Amino acid sequence: FFVSFDPGGLVSVDKPPLALWVEAASAKVFGYSGVAILVPEALAGVAAVWVLYLLVARFFGRVAGLVAALALAVSPVSVAVNRDNNPDALFVLLLVLAAYVGARAIASGRLRTIASDFRKDPSGSSVIAGSKPIEGVIVGSTWSPAKRRELAVS
């Protein structure tokens, strides 16, 4: 547990520290208020929609990118998460960013980028490294068998 108030860890915060740090920085800049605490989640939600559009449009075209971004933007779960004081909006942003970076690495043929992340953190304890197997399956399954053979050979 993070930020335990006692040595036994009975009273603690069970959220990852990055989300709390972002909220604390926002409160430091804008002053402590409800709006200052919720702004990072809203911005993370908007950024996740934008990065998802970039990811999908790159591989499947602009129309598919707009449909995917619209689906994420108006999804009731996404709307609820992005307007709440919860680290899930930041988690979604980091997962979409990981998928974007992984897809670009695969498309460029630089698979060593993804493999080096596993060597640095084989336990998968970080958010981005923990999503590598999922994004590899998702991105790899969307390509034709010829494209997969081509990447495997190079």
Side-chain angles (χ1 to χ4, degrees), residues 6-8 14 26-27 57 64 76 79 82 93 111 113 121 135 145 147:
D6 62 337
D14 63 345
S26 175
V79 170
N82 293 337
L93 173 63
L111 295 176
T113 304
D121 186 14
E135 75 186 49
K147 180 68 173 173

Side-chain angles (χ1 to χ4, degrees), residues 63-146:
V63 174
L66 286 172
V67 170
L70 181 67
L72 180 61
V74 301
S75 168
V77 172
S78 179
V79 170
V81 163
N82 293 337
R83 57 185 303 219
D84 189 21
N85 182 14
N86 210 347
D88 293 338
L90 183 63
F91 180 66
V92 169
L93 173 63
L94 290 175
L95 285 175
V96 173
L97 279 172
Y100 180 75
V101 169
R104 292 215 37 194
I106 291 171
S108 68
R110 289 186 247 151
L111 295 176
R112 283 181 285 171
T113 304
I114 294 173
S116 69
D117 286 346
F118 278 124
R119 280 195 304 262
K120 292 175 190 170
D121 186 14
S123 67
S125 62
S126 70
V127 171
I128 294 175
S131 68
K132 291 290 184 199
I134 297 168
E135 75 186 49
V137 168
I138 291 171
V139 173
S141 66
T142 60
W143 287 339
S144 67

